[in-house]
Amino acid sequence: MAMALQCFRHLHSLLRCSSRVAVRLLPQPPVLCTPLLLDGCRHCAHPLLLARPLATKKAKGKGQTQAKVNISAALVEDIINLEETSQDLQAVVEALKEDFNRNLNVRTSQGALDHIIVTTKDGKFPLNQLGQISQKSPQLIVVNMTNFPESTAAAMKAIRESGMNLNPEVDGTLIRVPVPKVTREHRESLAKLAKQSTNKSKEALRKVRSKSVNQVKKFKSKVSEDTIWLLEKQIQQMADSAAAEMDKLLAAKTKELLG
């Protein structure tokens, strides 16, 4: 019995010693290495482990959201320019905002007609490049087409089809545009146009996102699967953020239009 106890103590000591040796033999990252989201440290040959902390089932129930991915743009600049992607997405949002401010106002002003696109035999031009626009009274806007009389009919068509509920009348080279009264029907029509413009802008967002994701996928053979996954997740979150900003713009514009 005493001999068995002595052997057990000796075995326990050997196991503890082996564990310490094994720990010392495990590769340890250099002190100055910064954990990267790529396959390894760029400053040395030391490999780094990469985990998918977010690769879980979708959150269920109200108030439950997945943690956001936040990848440093500098670490993946060889794969994709995330700042450029962000700028492209934001440009779509700004274009929608400009469209709202320029074309979707309760009261029509001469400035609202400036950028109506007129299709002529020579190409497409903003209305204010073809005619002189002036507001004669709160109820009447006049477009003088003297410089391009041949485009008068095309300008008439563009104004009528602008979605601004305008019914222009032609008088020689003058186009008279009565300003519609602010009716409930007119307000609702503008609100529908705002919704349509938002949907078109969201489609543009999806195109930017798809373009960026396709760019990332080109590097599937060069970087880890987790890196590709994280980048796709980052791009999706950027697109979702831009879409949410659009929803806020639409809500504010709808409230303004419907009063």
Side-chain angles (χ1 to χ4, degrees):
M1 182 67 181
M3 183 176 294
L5 182 59
Q6 184 176 2
C7 289
F8 175 78
R9 289 175 179 173
H10 180 64
L11 178 61
H12 180 68
S13 177
L14 286 175
L15 288 174
R16 291 181 59 187
C17 181
S18 298
S19 298
R20 287 195 296 269
V21 171
V23 170
R24 285 199 298 271
L25 291 177
L26 285 175
Q28 299 297 321
V31 175
L32 297 179
C33 277
T34 302
L36 304 179
L37 289 173
L38 301 180
D39 294 337
C41 178
R42 292 187 177 185
H43 304 291
C44 65
H46 181 78
L48 296 176
L49 296 178
L50 179 62
R52 277 196 191 183
L54 299 179
T56 57
K57 294 183 179 179
K58 292 184 179 180
K60 296 182 179 180
K62 295 182 179 180
Q64 295 182 356
T65 57
Q66 290 184 335
K68 290 186 177 181
V69 177
N70 189 13
I71 300 175
S72 172
L75 298 181
V76 294
E77 58 185 3
D78 294 336
I79 303 175
I80 188 172
N81 189 330
L82 287 176
E83 293 181 1
E84 185 176 309
T85 298
S86 177
Q87 291 171 2
D88 290 344
L89 292 169
Q90 193 58 37
V92 179
V93 176
E94 292 301 319
L96 178 65
K97 187 183 299 184
E98 185 178 352
D99 179 49
F100 280 0
N101 294 334
R102 180 189 298 162
N103 301 321
L104 297 177
N105 296 303
V106 175
R107 296 190 179 278
T108 305
S109 64
Q110 67 181 67
L113 305 186
D114 286 351
H115 299 282
I116 290 178
I117 301 300
V118 181
T119 302
T120 71
K121 62 180 181 180
D122 297 318
K124 296 181 178 181
F125 303 92
L127 180 60
N128 62 355
Q129 290 186 13
L130 300 176
Q132 297 177 343
I133 305 173
S134 59
Q135 188 153 5
K136 296 300 182 180
S137 72
Q139 289 78 39
L140 181 65
I141 298 174
V142 174
V143 183
N144 190 334
M145 298 293 294
T146 302
N147 293 333
F148 298 93
E150 70 280 4
S151 299
T152 301
M156 280 274 293
K157 181 181 179 182
I159 294 171
R160 186 176 291 112
E161 296 177 356
S162 65
M164 299 173 65
N165 193 32
L166 301 175
N167 295 299
E169 304 167 355
V170 67
D171 181 9
T173 57
L174 293 180
I175 299 175
R176 303 181 186 278
V177 186
V179 177
K181 294 181 179 180
V182 184
T183 63
R184 185 67 184 178
E185 182 180 1
H186 179 51
R187 289 175 179 272
E188 291 176 351
S189 175
L190 291 177
K192 289 180 180 178
L193 288 175
K195 178 66 174 178
Q196 293 173 8
S197 295
T198 303
N199 289 338
K200 289 181 180 179
S201 295
K202 286 186 176 181
E203 181 60 31
L205 283 183
R206 287 190 283 271
K207 290 181 179 179
V208 173
R209 181 202 62 198
S210 296
K211 178 182 176 182
S212 298
V213 169
N214 289 336
Q215 172 66 23
V216 169
K217 287 182 177 179
K218 292 179 181 179
F219 289 81
K220 273 190 172 182
S221 61
K222 298 180 181 179
V223 297
S224 71
E225 180 184 347
D226 289 283
T227 300
I228 299 296
W229 184 85
L230 286 168
L231 279 171
E232 289 180 358
K233 193 74 174 177
Q234 174 80 47
I235 293 167
Q236 181 62 56
Q237 286 178 176
M238 293 164 64
D240 290 344
S241 177
E245 188 173 351
M246 285 184 174
D247 288 337
K248 290 181 181 179
L249 288 174
L250 175 61
K253 176 55 70 171
T254 301
K255 183 177 179 180
E256 172 191 327
L257 293 172
L258 297 180

